Amino acid sequence: MDGSTNKAVVNNPARKRYELAVDGHIAAAYYEKADGVVTFEHTEVPPELGGKGIGSKLVRGALDQVRAEGLKVIAQCPFVKGFIEKHADYQDLLKA
């Protein structure tokens, strides 16, 4: 990835989403949070950012923050579910 995508993922609790701003666009992973569990519901990456690994960077950053907060994850979003399935180091975050 080039330097323009090397930005931090930010939690925006007011909008219930993790955000990654790249080249004037916002990729977002929407969630609900309750009882120590973050339920990822939907991930959006603008078409202009498609195919650049932005979705994966967004989800990785979001999951890293969830881990730092000591929370668990329910992956309703197919993209988040697929990411966790492909990256064994995040599978411990899944709520049993």
Side-chain angles (χ1 to χ4, degrees), residues 4-89:
S4 67
T5 59
N6 192 18
K7 303 222 188 323
V9 173
V10 176
N11 184 7
N12 182 339
R15 292 191 168 189
K16 296 184 179 181
R17 68 186 193 178
Y18 289 91
E19 302 172 340
L20 179 59
V22 180
D23 298 334
H25 301 283
I26 301 278
Y30 292 86
Y31 66 83
E32 289 291 332
K33 189 184 288 188
D35 301 322
V37 178
V38 176
T39 301
F40 285 95
E41 299 177 328
H42 179 65
T43 301
E44 290 181 0
V45 175
E48 297 85 353
L49 302 178
K52 298 180 180 177
I54 301 300
S56 293
K57 183 170 178 56
L58 168 66
V59 171
R60 183 181 303 278
L63 293 174
D64 287 346
Q65 290 182 43
V66 167
R67 174 174 278 136
E69 292 181 46
L71 304 173
K72 289 293 187 181
V73 169
I74 295 174
Q76 287 182 354
C77 169
F79 187 85
V80 174
K81 184 176 189 295
F83 181 90
I84 292 172
E85 287 172 356
K86 291 177 194 163
H87 298 87
D89 49 325

